[in-house]
Amino acid sequence: MDGTAGSKAALAAAKVIKNAKGNIVPSSQKAHIVYGCEHMGEMFENARNQTLKSYRSILQLIHDKPSVIAQSYVDGGGEPVVSLRPLYLCLQCPNIMTDEQRDQHFDAKSHCFSVESREGYVYCGNCMDFIYDPELENRRLLKGKKRKHEDTLTADDDKLIVTNSTFLPCRATGLRGLYNMGQTCFMSVILQTVVHNPFIRNFFLAEGHKTADCERESCVSCALDEMIVEFHSAEKTEGYGAVAMLMGSWLAGEALAGYQQQDAHEYMQFFLNTLHLTNGGSADSEDCDCVVHKTFYGKLQSTVTYVRNQKKRKNADKADDAGLDLRDCLDRFTAKEKLDSAQYTCRNCDSPQNAIKQLSIKRLPPVLSIHLKRFEHSKAQSSKIETKVNFPMKLELYPHTTLQKEQTKAAKASGIPNTNYNVNTPANSLTYELSSVIVHKGKIDSGHYVSYSREGNDWFAFDDSKVVLANEAEVLNAEAYIVTYMINQLDV
Amino acid sequence: MSEDAAAESASGLPSDILPDLIQDILEDTLSNIVLQTALSCHRSEKLLRMQSAATQAESIALSTLEPASQKGGTNSQPAIPIGETSAAKYENGRVFLKGNPLKTTPEITCPHCKLPRLMHPIMGKGMQNPDLTKEYCMLYPWVQRSGHDVYGNPFPTDMAKSKKERELIKQQQKNADKESVGTPGSQDTEMAGDTKEIKLNTGGKPASYIPWHTCPNCKRSLLITRFAQHLEKCLGISGRQSSRNAMAKLAGQNGTGSGLGNTPLGSRLGTPVPGSQGDGPKAKGKGISPVKKFAQGEDDADELGDDTPERKKKKKSSYIKKADRDKGGSSSSLKVKLKTGRPDMERKASETSERSDGKRERDGDEGEEPRKKKIKLSLGGKERASASAEPGD
């Protein structure tokens, strides 16, 4: 699933078709675009299976095979040339062409369709434009792979949904401010970040927490449910008063209760833990499959290698939100660290040893929250660290994983170099995209929290009840306190 | 791959080719970035136009269908909805596009509400005045204008303003409403803006608007901006109520006193039996039930009074009645005590009233407001205090 396409689909998913007079349109009459263009319609009617098959094999070529294949064409003199620019793969024959050659090919052979070699977009020679055929787009987003989980929604299901749904206002896309109830901005920024987290949002919109059946008093999950449902169903655009949330939080976490400023990170930990407890979380976080653990829970591995006898000990530490800084900081965090014998005592042989310690990420959660330690506490005093930490829009996390460390070692041992370089879908890549940023302004003991969250490709700034459009530059320049990254694609 | 491949080939090449090669690679890379951005834009725009073409055809099909099905109720044949525009053909739920939607369909139609979408923001950066004779999908393009949110609502401006200032604004707005001939009382017309924006609904509230919320604990209505402050006391986390809870715990007289939030609700149910917990500081909270007292002494309660003067009056009168009732209904043993302790009582009563006033002042954060109140309260306060102190001693 493509990241942006996915979140856009999620935005629209809550809506149900209704016609201008306010009547719900039965599902049999739902406006469904059949083909990307007339020409593709013709093609499908004549050679449907052949078209789908050859499109799929082209997608596999551009995503799985070494890129040098799909990026090579034969120039006028018959010489093979490797191109950095996208080429076009004919859908009807095995030709790989530049855009000029593509147009000539169409004139000569009337092979109308070709596939762009980077993203797999389909070009129609008759339209002289890219087309977005619904069926082909589905396959393009899957990169030629088959769905692991088939969409099992039948026509009857569809009808059932349509006839039992009410119309949702188009404006209810979840963009609402949260009123400051008196020093509650630490809560607002966490709530905004959680509300704009598609995993959590979809869980609640899919009735993951059944408020009607919940018997807890002042339940935080119920309060969040109420909030998310209102954000996606009410026409309102003014702020929201998270009164039930405040009371629920105070009653559940006595340490955070009271009319005073709190640390947002502390609140986030409390909040996620409470969500975990109120949504079927098990006491053993190892194999808890509640929505919070599925979304945020990762694992760190610390490997200690003896310098002398090469004996290894492995420790898996928890890392729901590891206290890391960014890229460089991540490098340093997962770099090898020498421990001399004074620092390390082996638990097995109970003797001091020279050792090398290395942390790596054993399991990555789909949503990774990184908490920058901006508040320093020493015995004498606490202070705020205002160092600027740069953070990227896209974060590659594969080099920091335990898997990478092991694979590199294995590759070194076997001595076979990797020759399968694919630019479109690099092997062993785990790209995360920035999804929200929480900013602390002011001093350690008093200040203000604001946050940024991404919806599709748009960034929004949330400052209590105010919601404004933001741009990437503004987001990347913010003095971040907690940054949240989300995996850019998931296999479905 | 590209970088690696380039580096490999460059390594075996004479150095004078390198600058050209580097330039080529740079150009190709930049061109790729531009192409990628353009294509992703192209895709999202074309998908919108495709869906719009389909929705427009669908609307035509359904609008021709509806009268037919109403008239021909006896018609045995269910009509198959068909609609055709220059951009698409709708046939029983399936849409076939004609031509390139980027050329055929200049207008975006919302696939959900079937209304046209506004193409430009209604204010701020890039704004254009739309044709106001038409109805539009409520999902407007995001507004970028300083002091306004994405919908075009002005920021709440007076969150921190004092009650007096808010009152003044409210009064001014009321006057303005009276002068302007429009739909009175409608919140949308209260919006500061040109008359044209009235029809375009930003959905929000005027800048002066601060919502009221009911406290889930004590069910009283109060300003959202004061909520944390109120709830802290209401739940007994700190402030007066918590010290009272602690006191109750210490005294061991009230077993439920420890329960968060129970005390205010419980005490609301009725005045405690006289003499059951009668020591000095407790006594002043007796005649007036703590909630009522809260309502008059607390700062946020003042806010309550602002908006609903009738309610305040009611409260006052009901309170007096209650006090009277307490007086009248108090047992004979009380009267005996009254007689004996009268002179001492007077002094104590005035002390308590002063003390409680002092507390009120501390709670109130609105400058001169509490001082004014002090006079008011101490006038009535003496009576009240003496009435309430009576059962105590």
Side-chain angles (χ1 to χ4, degrees):
Chain A
M1 189 177 76
D2 182 89
T4 45
S7 48
K8 273 202 182 129
L11 256 185
K15 314 248 160 98
V16 155
I17 301 293
K18 196 181 100 165
N19 70 16
K21 300 206 167 172
N23 303 316
I24 293 162
V25 177
S27 61
S28 61
Q29 293 172 359
K30 194 169 165 183
H32 167 67
I33 298 165
V34 194
Y35 305 119
C37 69
E38 298 151 286
H39 319 106
M40 188 47 87
E42 225 172 277
M43 179 91 167
F44 262 123
E45 268 153 33
N46 294 329
R48 184 190 160 82
N49 288 340
Q50 183 54 42
T51 308
L52 290 178
K53 204 178 145 197
S54 88
Y55 187 55
R56 193 164 159 229
S57 65
I58 290 176
L59 287 174
Q60 283 169 348
L61 173 66
I62 65 175
H63 286 294
D64 301 339
K65 299 273 162 54
S67 288
V68 73
I69 300 174
Q71 289 298 134
S72 301
Y73 66 97
V74 180
D75 71 1
E79 289 289 312
V81 180
V82 176
S83 165
L84 292 182
R85 298 187 191 221
L87 295 178
Y88 293 86
L89 292 83
C90 182
L91 195 64
Q92 287 136 291
C93 75
N95 262 331
I96 301 177
M97 309 155 286
T98 63
D99 47 0
E100 276 170 36
Q101 289 173 330
R102 171 196 72 194
D103 295 343
Q104 290 161 5
H105 185 67
F106 172 56
D107 291 340
K109 297 218 171 165
S110 350
H111 286 177
C112 168
F113 299 102
S114 54
V115 182
E116 183 262 346
S117 69
R118 296 304 296 270
E119 310 262 354
Y121 290 124
V122 178
Y123 182 87
C124 171
N126 275 314
C127 293
M128 300 211 311
D129 197 7
F130 287 94
I131 58 159
Y132 306 99
D133 184 84
E135 265 192 84
L136 295 183
E137 272 293 285
N138 259 339
R139 284 166 172 76
R140 188 182 72 81
L141 294 174
L142 289 169
K143 301 185 172 179
K145 289 183 198 137
K146 281 207 168 134
R147 272 184 86 97
K148 278 187 207 152
H149 307 285
E150 274 312 313
D151 212 351
T152 49
L153 219 58
T154 64
D156 281 347
D157 292 337
D158 210 25
K159 205 165 194 169
L160 193 74
I161 293 170
V162 170
T163 48
N164 288 293
S165 309
T166 47
F167 176 71
L168 293 175
C170 300
R171 194 177 253 172
T173 55
L175 291 168
R176 295 271 300 271
L178 291 168
Y179 281 113
N180 193 325
M181 296 177 278
Q183 307 190 22
T184 57
C185 56
F186 71 92
M187 188 173 103
S188 303
V189 290
I190 298 300
L191 290 178
Q192 290 290 8
T193 303
V194 168
V195 165
H196 289 95
N197 179 320
F199 295 94
I200 302 288
R201 177 191 60 202
N202 292 356
F203 171 81
F204 279 94
L205 285 180
E207 282 224 291
H209 183 87
K210 290 193 177 63
T211 300
D213 301 341
C214 183
E215 283 169 359
R216 292 177 192 88
E217 263 182 55
S218 310
C219 171
V220 169
S221 281
C222 290
L224 183 62
D225 184 54
E226 187 193 320
M227 196 172 129
I228 293 181
V229 168
E230 173 163 337
F231 278 27
H232 289 92
S233 62
E235 183 92 354
K236 294 176 188 168
T237 60
E238 76 268 18
Y240 178 83
V243 162
M245 182 64 79
L246 185 71
M247 179 152 143
S249 299
W250 280 6
L251 290 179
E254 281 187 32
L256 294 166
Y259 174 59
Q260 52 186 306
Q261 299 187 2
Q262 299 285 356
D263 177 47
H265 180 246
E266 213 175 310
Y267 181 74
M268 183 163 93
Q269 286 179 311
F270 153 79
F271 186 64
L272 293 181
N273 187 45
T274 313
L275 287 188
H276 151 78
L277 293 173
T278 48
N279 287 294
S282 67
D284 180 17
S285 54
E286 272 304 297
D287 43 35
C288 175
D289 63 350
C290 76
V291 62
V292 176
H293 274 84
K294 277 197 218 156
T295 310
F296 296 100
Y297 179 67
K299 257 187 200 170
L300 274 181
Q301 174 160 305
S302 138
T303 309
V304 179
T305 316
Y306 287 5
V307 176
R308 202 183 310 154
N309 55 9
Q310 294 295 311
K311 200 171 160 192
K312 277 191 179 182
R313 278 187 49 85
K314 285 180 183 176
N315 286 314
D317 292 342
K318 256 193 8 174
D320 338 23
D321 44 14
L324 333 168
D325 287 36
L326 279 151
R327 278 193 293 202
D328 288 351
C329 312
L330 274 172
D331 285 344
R332 211 174 300 167
F333 185 74
T334 56
K336 287 177 178 163
E337 189 186 343
K338 273 187 189 165
L339 300 174
D340 59 36
S341 54
Q343 286 172 299
Y344 185 72
T345 306
C346 174
R347 267 184 244 167
N348 287 349
C349 46
D350 201 25
S351 65
Q353 299 282 350
N354 285 322
I356 289 170
K357 180 187 163 190
Q358 186 169 31
L359 285 176
S360 58
I361 303 170
K362 188 166 190 198
R363 189 168 100 185
L364 270 170
V367 177
L368 182 74
S369 269
I370 299 176
H371 168 217
L372 306 180
K373 282 196 173 164
R374 290 223 174 264
F375 301 111
E376 194 175 43
H377 302 282
S378 66
K379 268 179 197 165
Q381 58 173 33
S382 298
S383 57
K384 187 181 172 189
I385 304 165
E386 299 193 344
T387 319
K388 174 145 173 61
V389 176
N390 287 317
F391 48 96
M393 223 47 183
K394 285 185 180 175
L395 186 64
E396 178 54 54
L397 284 170
Y398 175 71
H400 305 290
T401 57
T402 311
L403 187 69
Q404 188 267 347
K405 314 275 177 207
E406 281 166 2
Q407 281 183 348
T408 324
K409 221 164 263 171
K412 259 187 201 163
S414 68
I416 304 163
N418 180 12
T419 51
N420 186 0
Y421 291 109
N422 188 297
V423 257
N424 297 331
T425 315
N428 302 325
S429 159
L430 288 166
T431 309
Y432 277 66
E433 282 177 42
L434 191 65
S435 70
S436 75
V437 177
I438 291 174
V439 179
H440 182 262
K441 294 176 175 172
K443 300 202 182 75
I444 180 152
D445 49 348
S446 71
H448 185 51
Y449 283 110
V450 296
S451 71
Y452 297 94
S453 282
R454 184 166 55 87
E455 268 302 329
N457 288 324
D458 293 330
W459 279 96
F460 296 92
F462 299 89
D463 178 357
D464 288 332
S465 56
K466 303 168 205 159
V467 184
V468 296
L469 206 63
N471 57 44
E472 285 189 10
E474 187 186 337
V475 174
L476 292 177
N477 274 319
E479 195 182 289
Y481 178 47
I482 300 172
V483 287
T484 306
Y485 284 88
M486 198 161 58
I487 187 106
N488 72 338
Q489 56 179 36
L490 286 174
D491 286 345
V492 286
Chain B
M1 164 230 110
S2 43
E3 292 80 5
D4 292 36
E8 261 168 53
S9 57
S11 62
L13 288 171
S15 57
D16 55 330
I17 298 188
L18 265 179
D20 285 347
L21 197 63
I22 290 170
Q23 196 182 344
D24 274 359
I25 292 174
L26 188 68
E27 274 172 13
D28 281 356
T29 311
L30 288 177
S31 139
N32 278 356
I33 293 171
V34 172
L35 192 72
Q36 209 178 359
T37 313
L39 262 177
S40 108
C41 234
H42 179 269
R43 177 178 181 267
S44 55
E45 189 59 28
K46 192 164 179 181
L47 285 175
L48 260 181
R49 307 279 186 110
M50 283 164 70
Q51 194 59 54
S52 300
T55 308
Q56 285 162 16
E58 178 201 46
S59 293
I60 287 174
L62 295 180
S63 65
T64 54
L65 175 75
E66 265 168 345
S69 63
Q70 276 164 10
K71 275 183 213 162
T74 52
N75 252 4
S76 55
Q77 266 190 341
I80 294 165
I82 290 173
E84 195 160 358
T85 65
S86 57
K89 191 180 165 194
Y90 180 96
E91 216 180 286
N92 200 19
R94 283 155 62 91
V95 177
F96 301 91
L97 298 172
K98 300 195 293 187
N100 191 336
L102 285 175
K103 288 176 189 150
T104 58
T105 314
E107 201 172 58
I108 306 293
T109 308
C110 175
H112 308 296
C113 67
K114 322 292 181 196
L115 292 169
R117 285 249 170 92
L118 276 177
M119 304 291 274
H120 303 277
I122 55 169
M123 58 176 87
K125 199 174 161 187
M127 79 157 284
Q128 276 187 24
N129 281 325
D131 175 5
L132 288 172
T133 56
K134 276 202 248 172
E135 198 187 342
Y136 296 96
C137 168
M138 292 302 282
L139 190 64
Y140 299 166
W142 304 124
V143 169
Q144 284 175 281
R145 182 182 178 187
S146 66
H148 291 72
D149 68 10
V150 283
Y151 302 102
N153 297 309
F155 288 160
T157 46
D158 47 355
M159 282 294 187
K161 275 183 191 156
S162 75
K163 192 182 79 182
K164 255 198 162 176
E165 285 171 293
R166 279 200 299 274
E167 251 175 5
L168 199 70
I169 292 171
K170 208 168 265 175
Q171 198 54 48
Q172 282 169 346
Q173 267 171 356
K174 264 181 196 166
N175 291 341
D177 279 356
K178 272 176 203 163
E179 281 165 31
S180 72
V181 193
T183 44
S186 156
Q187 263 151 344
D188 291 323
T189 52
E190 273 178 34
M191 244 193 52
D194 2 297
T195 45
K196 269 192 178 171
E197 282 164 20
I198 292 172
K199 269 186 191 166
L200 290 170
N201 179 7
T202 57
K205 307 284 185 189
S208 58
Y209 173 82
I210 307 171
W212 294 75
H213 265 267
T214 308
C215 171
N217 196 42
C218 68
K219 311 293 175 209
R220 291 200 303 120
S221 187
L222 46 114
L223 273 180
I224 190 75
T225 47
R226 308 283 166 136
F227 206 83
Q229 215 175 350
H230 161 81
L231 198 64
E232 179 182 55
K233 286 170 191 147
C234 192
L235 291 178
I237 291 160
S238 81
R240 252 200 300 204
Q241 197 55 43
S242 77
S243 69
R244 231 175 265 167
N245 287 342
M247 198 89 75
K249 249 189 209 170
L250 281 176
Q253 284 164 328
N254 194 351
T256 57
S258 62
L260 282 179
N262 285 342
T263 349
L265 262 184
S267 54
R268 198 180 196 190
L269 297 173
T271 320
V273 184
S276 67
Q277 7 172 233
D279 51 9
K282 271 264 143 187
K284 76 177 156 117
K286 205 158 280 175
I288 320 158
S289 86
V291 173
K292 289 267 159 63
K293 225 182 87 160
F294 220 43
Q296 289 187 327
E298 290 287 336
D299 171 54
D300 30 26
D302 292 345
E303 313 283 359
L304 177 82
D306 284 352
D307 252 30
T308 49
E310 307 100 306
R311 262 176 89 181
K312 193 178 182 180
K313 265 180 206 160
K314 246 185 208 166
K315 273 209 163 158
K316 233 179 196 166
S317 63
S318 77
Y319 145 71
I320 288 164
K321 267 179 208 159
K322 213 171 186 185
D324 286 344
R325 201 175 52 213
D326 281 348
K327 216 177 188 177
S330 50
S331 60
S332 55
S333 65
L334 258 178
K335 275 184 181 169
V336 177
K337 275 189 177 176
L338 268 177
K339 270 177 194 167
T340 53
R342 198 66 190 167
D344 190 31
M345 242 339 280
E346 288 276 324
R347 197 173 50 79
K348 262 197 179 167
S350 62
E351 260 178 34
T352 38
S353 75
E354 257 170 43
R355 226 184 293 156
S356 60
D357 281 343
K359 276 199 176 168
R360 271 166 206 145
E361 196 166 26
R362 201 187 55 204
D363 285 340
D365 60 352
E366 307 200 46
E368 46 184 318
E369 222 23 65
R371 221 173 296 146
K372 228 172 149 188
K373 202 134 279 165
K374 191 178 174 182
I375 301 159
K376 264 194 232 157
L377 281 171
S378 57
L379 277 176
K382 233 167 223 172
E383 285 173 17
R384 236 180 279 157
S386 56
S388 62
E390 276 165 16
D393 260 279

